[in-house]
């Protein structure tokens, strides 16, 4: 969608300015000399590009031992409170909202229950969340121009359009347009996993990596992928569907219509279904399955082990095909981490081809507010013209 | 390796010159006005960048109906015979050599038997091939500066170093260095599948595609992948190993040590092994397996069908994960095309996730000289500073 507000933007008006800004953003504090060295820009170009950013208050010049203010050796750093960003993640039951600073640090987190998944109710809810978040501080009200909103499913970011979101039962919802009627901020709408990938790329484990992947386990199994320095979006709008790599041959039917997909074995629903089948207890919940497995139930442990094998095979497929520097495995599904981490790592080690096994595997939880932080990050990245 | 000769290079000395040159290379004839429109360069920048390329004879200005020579509307085109490139592909039994023009059109093809796979013999053979190819025309001798040499396996292009080539039984061979002692041309050494991918990207089905994949079937199953406009090389040196996606679950053991890999079911060796097993005839050759299947042998047809399913699953995995615009399936293994094309397409259609099924699947043979053309293309691309 067309940005609604342009005021208050960081004056990132040239490729050189974008390069300087992102270098300080990801590596600051850093001296102009080092910015020049790391980016290949001339010192004069760095000085010229940084001046308006300093004047607008986005960058600040620190005192340096080697030289005074204004000297090439004075480190530049970000003024992280120069602008704030809002992020709202929509789940099927609640909204998670955050305020972040320029470096994507979370300053406030809020959870709002959703009375319904209907589009109107959700739009109202997001609008209330925005009001609530901004009410936390005068500074937020004054220096917040953008909000990012994310949702699971197939999203056209440029149009701010949700084509399909299975968990919300939404099809063809012009979400950005609807939100713009209620919210007086620049609005960016995107897929939730892509947003977290952007957050990782610019502000997390992906900084400095030419390629990496972020895999989220849970109700769905998704993946954001950065290759050749850019997020992979897929020519036909589909990419990162690691949950739909058929690693179990003629295995179980997946809800997508294919067979043997990672998701058909390792999603939360698939794990619960397999546990119900194996125990003969049709009302088992995920919590009970996890508890039972932790208490040593052999059949339930086997269900998790099988899920770990499926995930490990999926990760190895990605490593063999794309060769990312590192893979971050995360998501709500990782709450059961202890029950399948060994199988994930062992299977990955066996199935990775040659040096692909050197790909760093980081398994770490993803607190709910991280999803909202991803939403704020896409707004920040879009505003700061660095993506 | 450091290029040995710099003389005679196209004067592509700035990013603007590279942009103009590659635009004419891939889309020419094209007017300066259109070059400016398509690249975002100013008309003045296009004119300035194209002048030295015209003076050096790489670009030529065509007459135009809308304007005379020197006018912005006069189309620019490539002078394809301004420089020639040699390409040599090393197989385990022979060398395939070609001369190509600037647009990678094959002008001459030669096949030389190799007396042995030993490094010395191969280096001598490549040197003789180069002499033979250049002897075909005075113009080649005068206007050829670069040769590309390709080999299956793990190759460090920057160092011109073959780390491992299973089919040649080579390990750690400084091939570029050894060739440089005998050949007075700039030498580029690379992996054969990557080279064909580069040829497709710049001169074939990949032109204009931001992402595509080239999959080769045969003794090995390899893949070159272009994503975000660049060839994917893998952070740890491994990428495109579609042959090692575990699509058959707990299936057969692969030579790589993993289980259920595409290659363990669909490589030429795997097909022959399965055919021998199913018929109980331990001496069957690939030719006999193909003939038998074509004559309607049900068991043999089933072997090919299974290979087609494995390949289809591998292709769908790639489409779901990376979302290329199109996938070109090729290679010597495609000689048996008729025996598994249906299974490849059907499986791909079933396993592709949502819109990933829109990925264009091009199945087409790969004549042997195409491998050598790939080798010439990497030399051309490197010389013309467009990769």
């Amino acid at each position: 969608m067309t940005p609604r507000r342009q005021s208050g933007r960081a004056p990132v008006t040239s490729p050189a300015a974008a390069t300087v800004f992102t270098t300080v953003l990801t590596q600051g504090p850093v001296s102009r000399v080092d910015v020049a060295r790391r980016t290949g820009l001339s010192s004069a170009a760095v000085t010229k590009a940084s001046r308006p950013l300093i004047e607008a208050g986005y960058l600040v010049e620190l005192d340096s031992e080697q030289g005074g203010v204004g000297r090439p050796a004075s480190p530049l750093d970000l003024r992280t409170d120069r602008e704030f960003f809002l992020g709202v993640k929509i789940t099927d039951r609640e909204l998670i909202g955050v305020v972040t600073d320029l470096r994507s640090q979370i300053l406030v987190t809020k959870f709002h229950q959703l009375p319904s998944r209907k589009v109107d109710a959700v739009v109202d809810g997001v609008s209330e969340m925005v009001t609530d978040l901004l009410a936390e501080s005068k500074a937020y009200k004054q220096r917040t121009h953008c909000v990012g909103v994310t949702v699971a499913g197939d999203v056209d970011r440029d149009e701010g359009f949700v084509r399909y979101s299975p968990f919300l039962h939404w099809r063809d919802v012009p979400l950005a347009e609807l939100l713009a009627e209620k919210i007086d901020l620049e609005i960016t709408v995107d897929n939730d996993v892509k947003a977290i990938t952007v957050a990782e790329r610019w502000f997390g484990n992906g900084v400095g990596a030419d390629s990496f992947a972020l895999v989220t386990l849970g109700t769905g199994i998704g993946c954001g992928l950065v290759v050749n320095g850019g997020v992979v979006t897929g020519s036909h709008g589909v990419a990162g569907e690691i949950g739909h790599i058929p690693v179990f041959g003629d295995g179980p039917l997946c809800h997508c219509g294919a067979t043997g997909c990672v998701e058909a074995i390792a999603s939360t629903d698939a794990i619960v279904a397999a546990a119900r089948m194996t125990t003969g207890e049709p009302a088992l919940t995920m919590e009970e399955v996890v508890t039972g497995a932790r208490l040593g139930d052999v059949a339930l442990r086997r269900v998790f082990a099988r899920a770990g094998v499926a995930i490990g095979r999926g990760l190895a497929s990605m490593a063999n095909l794309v060769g990312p520097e590192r893979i971050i495995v995360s998501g709500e599904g990782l709450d059961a981490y202890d029950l399948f981490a060994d199988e994930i790592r062992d299977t990955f080690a066996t199935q990775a081809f040659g040096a692909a096994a050197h790909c760093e595997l980081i398994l770490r939880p993803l607190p709910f507010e991280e999803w909202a932080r991803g939403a704020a990050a896409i707004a920040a990245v879009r505003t700061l013209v660095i993506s």
Side-chain angles (χ1 to χ4, degrees), chain A:
Chain A
M1 64 164 307
T2 314
R4 295 192 60 223
R5 286 173 56 161
Q6 298 274 346
S7 62
R9 271 177 180 269
V12 181
T13 50
S14 68
T19 303
V20 170
F21 189 70
T22 55
T23 305
V24 178
L25 180 72
T26 55
Q27 299 167 39
V30 55
S31 70
R32 287 187 187 80
V33 172
D34 280 337
V35 172
R37 192 178 303 138
R38 291 179 200 177
T39 61
L41 291 171
S42 71
S43 287
V46 173
T47 298
K48 189 180 163 198
S50 52
R51 196 173 303 128
L53 290 164
I54 294 170
E55 282 166 6
Y58 281 82
L59 297 188
V60 63
E61 206 170 13
L62 305 179
D63 242 314
S64 142
E65 287 174 22
Q66 299 105 307
V69 167
R71 303 284 291 270
S74 304
L76 292 173
D77 205 355
L78 211 60
R79 241 187 65 197
T80 52
D81 63 351
R82 173 60 184 82
E83 185 169 346
F84 302 100
F85 297 94
L86 305 189
V88 182
K89 146 93 172 174
I90 304 169
T91 77
D92 54 350
R93 276 167 300 185
E94 64 177 358
L95 300 174
I96 312 163
V98 295
V99 181
T100 71
D101 67 14
L102 259 185
R103 204 168 250 141
S104 206
Q105 296 299 309
I106 296 176
L107 304 173
V108 178
T109 307
K110 285 183 179 286
F111 297 84
H112 282 189
Q113 292 305 307
L114 272 178
S116 125
R117 294 174 197 169
K118 282 196 182 145
V119 174
D120 285 356
V122 173
V123 167
D124 285 344
V126 172
S127 168
E128 280 159 31
M129 173 65 89
V130 166
T131 307
D132 256 29
L133 289 169
L134 291 180
E136 287 288 314
S137 150
K138 256 190 192 165
Y140 301 165
K141 240 184 199 143
Q142 289 165 350
R143 300 204 291 276
T144 300
H145 309 291
C146 307
V147 56
V149 179
T150 62
V151 54
D154 184 358
V155 179
D156 182 330
R157 188 181 80 164
D158 292 335
E159 300 293 329
F161 195 84
V162 180
R163 280 189 291 245
Y164 179 46
S165 183
F167 307 116
L168 293 171
H169 307 295
W170 284 8
R171 274 193 193 276
D172 298 331
V173 175
L175 186 58
E177 202 180 307
L178 296 172
L179 290 171
E181 287 168 18
K182 310 229 165 197
I183 300 170
D184 191 27
L185 295 173
E186 196 172 309
I187 297 159
T188 303
V189 172
D190 208 342
N191 168 275
D192 55 354
V193 178
K194 263 189 213 147
I196 293 198
T197 309
V198 168
E200 287 296 323
R201 179 189 173 198
W202 288 105
F203 310 105
N205 285 119
V207 169
D210 186 60
S211 65
F212 76 94
L214 181 126
V215 176
T216 58
L217 308 178
T219 318
I221 295 183
C223 164
L225 198 55
V226 168
V227 177
N228 287 332
V231 175
V232 179
T233 52
S235 297
H236 306 279
V238 172
E241 293 292 351
I242 195 173
H244 298 283
I245 296 184
V247 295
F248 257 86
D250 306 310
L253 195 70
C254 182
H255 64 87
C256 76
T259 50
C261 296
V262 174
E263 204 165 290
I265 292 137
S267 75
T268 313
D269 287 356
I271 289 172
V272 171
R276 288 173 178 176
M277 182 86 89
T278 194
T279 59
E281 294 177 37
L284 268 186
T285 64
M286 184 63 175
E287 288 68 28
E288 290 165 339
V289 177
V290 170
T291 307
R294 285 205 179 122
L295 289 172
D297 184 302
V298 174
L300 293 181
R301 292 197 73 95
R302 212 174 287 137
V303 169
F304 279 103
R306 196 166 129 90
V309 168
I311 295 163
R313 284 181 188 165
L315 299 178
S317 300
M318 179 158 64
N320 295 349
L321 208 47
V322 180
E325 217 166 305
R326 61 185 74 116
I327 301 176
I328 306 151
V329 183
S330 200
E332 50 185 291
L334 212 69
D335 295 348
Y337 176 82
D338 51 308
L339 294 168
F340 53 27
D342 285 353
E343 282 79 8
I344 292 178
R345 290 192 181 280
D346 289 354
T347 306
F348 180 80
T350 309
Q351 298 287 154
F353 185 72
H358 299 157
C359 173
E360 191 186 359
L361 221 55
I362 302 171
L363 282 75
R364 67 138 211 251
L366 192 68
F368 280 111
E369 59 266 32
E370 287 291 304
W371 288 99
R373 178 175 173 247
I378 51 157
V381 165
R382 197 171 198 185
T383 307
L384 304 171
V385 204
I386 54 183
S387 184

